[in-house]
Amino acid sequence: MDWKDLRQGIENCNAISNSILDRAIDSEDAQHNDILRLDHIEGYHELTAKTKAFFSLAVAKWDAEFYVKIDDDVHVNLGTLAATLARHRLKPRVYIGCMKSGPVLYQKSVKYHEPEFWKFGETGNKYFRHATGQIYAISKELATYVANNRPILHKYANEDVSLGAWLIGLEVEHIDDRNLCCGTPPECEWKAQAGNVCVASFDWSCSGICKSVERIKHVHAKCSESPATLWGALI
């Protein structure tokens, strides 16, 4: 088998896989009507564009106090999330997440390489504070700002850095809430037992729950909020 045949085989395999996935998504959407589809190109280097598209469409579609982005391999307690957001609802411009300031990676060979590293100062500098990308929330005024200025907001290599860059020059209150970035069991389990239920849990080593398909039910069993907390937030 030559390279051309191998490449065609991979493309055919991907087409089949995508077709199966598409059908599963169509079935889920037909049953529950709870999937929002964005018109965008999927891929790691398109995540910033996806973020712009999400906030723009969400603001146009729903009148909400907060808009939240969550990766699909993160465990989230929705009632606890709602209670957390409610504590900041009277603030007009709020950016909530686990704030970090990692190094600007200038080496081309590493993951999360930033091609525009020179814009952030001398080699070895760190980024400004921004929320880690697994989960964060922004208030309505900020989401509207992103939607209205979508064409001219610059896209850096990393989506979380890009959002931080868009907001760093505005009058925004940054809320560093470590309950949005708990570790998976035993950490979130210990916190739940102590009455301090986590909003979100994942593994830093995987930027989400490692082997999430296999482990998400286990994480939920150990770290979930009470039914009363969930239903109390929905009423």
Side-chain angles (χ1 to χ4, degrees), residues 36-159:
L36 175 68
R37 300 197 188 204
L38 302 176
D39 183 15
H40 76 102
I41 299 172
E42 195 65 66
Y44 177 78
H45 294 293
E46 297 297 330
L47 288 178
T48 299
K50 185 177 181 179
T51 300
K52 286 185 182 184
F54 165 67
F55 285 122
S56 298
L57 183 56
V59 165
K61 194 173 182 66
W62 295 293
D63 181 18
E65 293 177 307
F66 291 94
Y67 297 84
V68 185
K69 179 261 183 178
I70 307 171
D71 287 351
D72 60 5
D73 56 354
V74 171
H75 177 264
V76 181
N77 285 309
L78 293 177
T80 307
L81 171 61
T84 298
L85 297 178
R87 292 198 294 270
H88 305 288
R89 68 193 313 171
L90 298 180
K91 303 172 183 177
R93 293 173 298 278
V94 182
Y95 176 29
I96 306 171
C98 288
M99 299 296 165
K100 65 175 183 176
S101 178
V104 181
L105 301 176
Y106 61 91
Q107 305 95 330
K108 291 184 178 180
S109 60
V110 301
K111 189 177 182 181
Y112 308 127
H113 164 62
E114 175 57 71
E116 298 180 85
F117 62 90
W118 62 275
K119 288 186 177 180
F120 297 91
E122 301 303 319
T123 299
N125 277 3
K126 289 186 175 183
Y127 288 115
F128 39 77
R129 292 285 174 186
H130 60 280
T132 185
Q134 286 86 351
I135 175 173
Y136 53 75
I138 57 176
S139 52
K140 179 181 179 179
E141 189 171 329
L142 298 182
T144 302
Y145 172 83
V146 172
N148 290 344
N149 293 280
R150 178 178 175 182
I152 61 171
L153 293 176
H154 187 67
K155 296 186 293 183
Y156 289 103
N158 299 298
E159 167 254 338

Side-chain angles (χ1 to χ4, degrees), residues 14 46 83 100 125 128 137 154-155 170 173 184 188 196 199 206 210 215 222 228:
N14 287 338
E46 297 297 330
K100 65 175 183 176
N125 277 3
F128 39 77
H154 187 67
K155 296 186 293 183
L170 306 179
E173 181 175 354
T184 55
C188 59
N196 184 27
V199 174
C206 297
C210 300
R215 296 181 58 229
K222 298 293 184 181

